[in-house]
Amino acid sequence: MIKYAHITGTGSFAPEKVLTNSDLERMVETSNDWIVSRTGIKNRHLVQNGTGSSDLAARASQIALAKAGLDAKDIDLILLATVTPDQPLPSTACLLQDKIGASNAAVMDVVAACSGFVYNLSIAKAMIQSGQAENVLVLGVETLSKLVNWEDRNTCVLFGDGCGAAVVQAKDEPGGIMHTYMKSNGSLADLLMVPAGGCKVPLNEENIKNGARYINMAGPEVYKNAVKAMGEAGSIVLKKSGLSGDDIKLMIPHQANIRIIDSTAKRLGIPMERVYVNIHDYGNTSAASIAIALDEVIGKKLIDKGDKILLVAFGAGFTWGSIIVEF
Ligand code: UT7
């Protein structure tokens, strides 16, 4: 009998240290007014040196497991989305597995930038429905402050660190992760990337000096693509499920820019009162953004049983995707 993939517990964690817009005013030529009006961001959280994505992931995982009423040993699959792994090898998922004692799980990292959490929920559903997993721990986690050039005002005001986790379980009861959509376009990779630090272009003195080890972004181009792709992703998954924007209790979009969120909501016919926004508190946390927002939405009891929510993501690659979840 077909199983349904239900989200049974969520958790999130952001480092204690907060960097405000006034702090940034003292670091680069910028202003609180510019940052708030162009992006919606007020604060972002930053890890201390020596803290990695696996550490944030362990904190969020423990909360999600407790909420789901599971022990780490019950997890048979961990899907961890990040572009900021602790180290090149092994996967951050392996490091997390050891930290939380999920000794019965197969684990892997998924690299899909800001779409990583949505990609992972889609994969979790497929693994559950094909009978290959029962209890999946899904994470979106980033320590982007380590990839930011703190002298580049075009990017340093935007990003933050954090983690969100969700336990996805096989259940007989209909509902859960219903319809999913994933898409990518590698031909636009150059618009948002970290050019150096991999195996083809390893770090050296020159690329450290010229900023190639940091996030390089053609902001306005990325912006245009984000609006188009998030609108497309939302419409496709609504159509697949036979729903309209009116049927959606809450949309949780990737939190990159309040103006992108606003345009996406307009394209999908969803008023901003039914869109969850927390970009002011975290900035853009890439794979973690929807995961943290989902945990907050559940924690604040903004959704009831039977409600349908829409997740819409877009990120480097480019990658984009969307999901309808029925609670
Ligand atoms: O998560 C993955 C996806 N990422 C995104 O979706 C991000 C997409 N892009 C964006 O959100 C926006 O493009 C940005 C927030 C990055 C930039 O906003 P914009 O309205 O597109 O600004 P812009 O890049 O066109 O720059 C406008 C002006 C420029 O000055 P001039 O050339 O007009 O004199 C920039 O130099 O704003 C200037 N500027 C700043 N001024 C103050 C750029 N950054 C700053 C800053 N403070 N931090």
Side-chain angles (χ1 to χ4, degrees), residues 72-279:
K73 291 196 171 40
D74 298 325
I75 295 296
D76 49 17
L77 178 64
I78 296 178
L79 299 169
L80 183 147
T82 193
V83 294
T84 46
D86 286 14
Q87 53 201 63
L89 195 71
S91 70
T92 302
C94 276
L95 304 175
L96 170 69
Q97 172 182 30
D98 183 49
K99 285 198 164 102
I100 63 173
S103 49
N104 296 314
V107 314
M108 68 185 88
D109 285 6
V110 170
V111 182
C114 311
S115 307
F117 184 69
V118 162
Y119 269 46
N120 274 354
L121 288 178
S122 304
I123 300 166
K125 179 199 173 199
M127 291 295 280
I128 283 173
Q129 295 206 321
S130 61
Q132 296 178 82
E134 283 212 351
N135 299 322
V136 188
L137 178 61
V138 173
L139 297 118
V141 57
E142 302 291 2
T143 46
L144 286 169
S145 60
K146 301 294 175 194
L147 283 186
V148 161
N149 181 351
W150 290 103
E151 292 176 359
D152 174 17
R153 71 171 184 175
N154 290 297
T155 51
C156 77
V157 302
L158 302 174
F159 299 102
D161 302 336
C163 179
V167 173
V168 183
Q169 288 188 264
K171 301 269 179 200
D172 293 327
E173 185 192 341
I177 301 169
M178 299 303 281
H179 295 273
T180 64
Y181 172 71
M182 293 190 279
K183 191 85 190 285
S184 310
N185 180 359
S187 75
L188 299 174
D190 287 359
L191 296 176
L192 177 47
M193 63 173 171
V194 178
C199 295
K200 187 173 174 185
V201 189
L203 289 182
N204 58 31
E205 224 171 275
E206 194 195 333
N207 60 39
I208 288 176
K209 226 184 287 159
N210 68 19
R213 65 173 294 195
Y214 298 118
I215 295 172
N216 284 235
M217 178 168 76
E221 294 308 313
V222 176
Y223 184 104
K224 276 182 239 152
N225 280 281
V227 169
K228 193 166 151 250
M230 287 175 75
E232 177 206 289
S235 313
I236 288 178
V237 85
L238 283 171
K239 197 167 169 209
K240 267 189 179 189
S241 57
L243 301 173
S244 79
D246 291 342
D247 302 308
I248 297 301
K249 175 72 181 280
L250 207 58
M251 173 168 84
I252 305 181
H254 171 48
Q255 314 277 318
N257 186 315
I258 188 65
R259 294 179 294 134
I260 296 176
I261 294 174
D262 198 42
S263 302
T264 304
K266 278 202 183 81
R267 282 177 180 227
L268 298 174
I270 300 176
M272 282 303 281
E273 303 81 71
R274 287 195 278 117
V275 177
Y276 191 75
V277 176
N278 65 5
I279 190 170

Side-chain angles (χ1 to χ4, degrees), residues 279-300:
I279 190 170
H280 42 276
D281 282 338
Y282 299 98
N284 182 348
T285 57
S286 189
S289 97
I290 292 177
I292 294 172
L294 176 65
D295 181 50
E296 290 188 351
V297 160
I298 291 172
K300 291 178 182 173

